[in-house]
């Protein structure tokens, strides 16, 4: 019995001596905190595991509508003059606006092949009349490069949402179909065209949305999104087609007033003849009366 009591007393004294050491309790606290922290992290990782849930992501570009992603910077660009030296640029021919004054409309007509046609863009020249670098007004993809003796060669660049810029009357073309150009890249040199020889060395610049030409002056220094949000009426294109038809049928129209005057004169001639017939009948009756009196 005494041996067991001695063993117990010795064990108790050793435990007391162990807990009396300074590093024991801090070590216990650190170990406990580590165990608790490990348990919390394990619980969070197991609770945040989304593989067991059938989540469908809807914030991925092109996931919902299966449409190609569009470069964000392209919508932030502003339309620029299609020339490198815009400070010395001069607009020789303006865009034909159907709502403009008669004087401005007359100045926006182009005379070619004995026919006046409305300008669907602007003709840009330099003050010194010399050739200059034609640059991309907006970033996009080249979709057309065509040699044309009348227009003086044509370059088309397609942008977002059916918006196209066109550059004609150019030479020394430096791009090909399929090239991706950035705003300000040199496309060609300004040249001359048979369509508007009066403009001299120039570039004819157009902006089209859904195939309808719009006034470039209204969108210079404005973002591409401004044109995307603009409501371009189809009446603009219809008016252009009607104007072309009127120009082509002008000689035929000149003969119409003569026909109308002739048709209007016909009834009056008939009336005169009828009046003349009545007057002759009256003379015959008067002569018959004088003969009866004489007899």
């Amino acid at each position: 019995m005494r041996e067991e009591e001695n063993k117990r007393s010795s064990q108790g004294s050793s435990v007391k001596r162990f807990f009396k050491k300074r590093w024991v309790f801090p070590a216990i606290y650190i170990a406990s905190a580590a165990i608790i922290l490990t348990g919390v992290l394990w619980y969070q990782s197991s609770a945040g595991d989304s593989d067991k849930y059938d989540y469908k992501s809807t914030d991925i570009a092109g996931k919902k509508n299966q449409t190609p992603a569009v470069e964000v910077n392209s919508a932030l660009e502003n339309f620029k003059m299609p020339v490198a030296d815009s400070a010395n640029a001069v607009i020789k021919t303006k865009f034909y606006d159907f709502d403009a004054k008669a004087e401005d409309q007359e100045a926006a007509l182009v005379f070619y092949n004995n026919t006046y046609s409305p300008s669907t863009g602007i003709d840009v020249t330099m003050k010194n009349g010399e050739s200059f670098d034609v640059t991309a007004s907006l970033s996009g993809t080249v979709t057309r490069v065509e040699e044309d003796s009348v227009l003086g060669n044509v370059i088309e660049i397609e942008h977002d949402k059916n918006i196209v810029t066109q550059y004609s009357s150019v030479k020394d073309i430096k791009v090909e179909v399929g090239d991706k150009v950035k705003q300000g890249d040199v496309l060609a040199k300004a040249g001359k065209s048979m369509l508007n020889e009066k403009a001299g060395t120039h570039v004819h610049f157009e902006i089209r949305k859904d195939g309808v030409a719009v006034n470039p002056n209204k969108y210079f220094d404005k973002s591409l999104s401004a044109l995307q949000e603009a409501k371009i009426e189809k009446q603009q294109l219809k008016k252009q087609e009607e104007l072309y038809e009127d120009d082509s049928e002008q000689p035929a129209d000149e003969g119409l007033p003569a026909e109308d005057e002739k048709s209007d004169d016909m009834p009056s001639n008939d009336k005169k003849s009828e009046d003349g017939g009545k007057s002759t009948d009256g003379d015959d009756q008067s002569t018959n009366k004088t003969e009866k009196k004489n007899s």
Side-chain angles (χ1 to χ4, degrees):
M1 293 294 294
R2 291 181 179 178
E3 292 179 357
E4 292 180 356
E5 290 178 356
N6 292 332
K7 287 181 180 181
R8 290 177 181 176
S9 61
S10 62
Q11 290 178 354
S13 61
S14 61
V15 171
K16 290 180 180 179
R17 286 196 301 270
F18 176 77
F19 281 104
K20 286 182 180 181
K21 295 181 180 180
R22 296 181 178 179
W23 55 269
V24 173
F25 288 103
I28 293 174
Y29 293 149
I30 294 173
S32 301
I35 294 172
I36 294 172
L37 181 61
T38 302
V40 171
L41 294 176
W42 175 82
Y43 176 77
Q44 289 180 348
S45 62
S46 62
D49 189 3
S50 60
D51 294 339
K52 59 184 179 179
Y53 300 104
D54 188 15
Y55 289 130
K56 293 182 179 180
S57 178
T58 57
D59 59 348
I60 301 176
K63 181 74 175 179
K64 184 176 181 180
N65 299 323
Q66 298 298 324
T67 55
V70 179
E71 186 180 355
V72 177
N73 291 334
S74 63
L76 301 178
E77 289 181 346
N78 295 340
F79 284 97
K80 297 295 183 183
M81 287 280 286
V83 297
D85 187 10
S86 59
N88 293 318
V90 178
I91 298 178
K92 191 75 172 181
T93 307
K94 296 182 179 180
F95 176 84
Y96 188 95
D97 192 345
F98 290 94
D99 297 328
K101 297 180 181 179
E103 298 176 355
D104 296 333
Q105 289 181 344
E106 184 178 355
L109 291 175
V110 179
F111 183 76
Y112 173 72
N113 197 18
N114 296 326
T115 304
Y116 285 97
S117 303
S119 176
T120 53
I122 59 173
D123 295 333
V124 184
T125 63
M126 285 291 160
K127 294 179 180 179
N128 56 13
E130 297 180 357
S131 183
F132 53 90
D133 288 334
V134 178
T135 58
S137 176
L138 209 66
S139 300
T141 304
V142 179
T143 56
R144 179 187 176 193
V145 176
E146 183 177 335
E147 295 183 359
D148 193 312
S149 59
V150 177
L151 299 178
N153 302 332
V154 181
I155 299 174
E156 279 188 359
I157 299 178
E158 185 176 358
H159 311 284
D160 188 29
K161 294 184 180 179
N162 296 328
I163 296 177
V164 175
T165 53
Q166 186 182 99
Y167 314 75
S168 58
S169 185
V170 294
K171 62 181 181 179
D172 299 336
I173 299 175
K174 303 182 182 301
V175 293
E176 298 178 352
V177 175
D179 290 350
K180 295 186 179 298
V181 296
K182 295 182 179 180
Q183 186 180 54
D185 287 351
V186 177
L187 306 176
K189 286 279 187 180
K192 297 182 179 180
S193 67
M194 296 174 60
L195 182 63
N196 193 2
E197 294 179 349
K198 185 179 179 181
T201 302
H202 70 284
V203 57
H204 180 77
F205 177 68
E206 295 186 8
I207 300 176
R208 293 178 177 270
K209 179 184 178 181
D210 297 327
V212 181
V214 298
N215 191 349
N217 286 326
K218 291 184 178 180
Y219 294 99
F220 283 143
D221 296 328
K222 292 184 179 180
S223 64
L224 176 64
S225 59
L227 180 56
Q228 291 173 350
E229 296 173 359
K231 295 181 180 179
I232 307 300
E233 297 181 357
K234 292 296 182 180
Q235 295 178 356
Q236 180 78 4
L237 181 60
K238 186 178 180 181
K239 289 180 180 179
Q240 292 177 3
E241 293 176 350
E242 290 176 353
L243 186 58
Y244 278 116
E245 291 176 358
D246 293 341
D247 291 338
S248 62
E249 295 176 357
Q250 185 175 1
D253 293 340
E254 292 177 354
L256 291 177
E259 293 178 359
D260 294 340
E261 291 176 2
K262 185 176 180 181
S263 61
D264 293 338
D265 292 339
M266 290 299 292
S268 62
N269 292 334
D270 295 340
K271 291 178 180 179
K272 289 181 181 179
S273 61
E274 290 176 358
D275 294 339
K278 290 180 180 179
S279 61
T280 53
D281 292 341
D283 294 339
D284 293 340
Q285 292 176 359
S286 61
T287 52
N288 292 332
K289 289 180 180 178
T290 55
E291 288 178 356
K292 288 181 179 179
K293 288 181 180 180
N294 293 331
S295 59

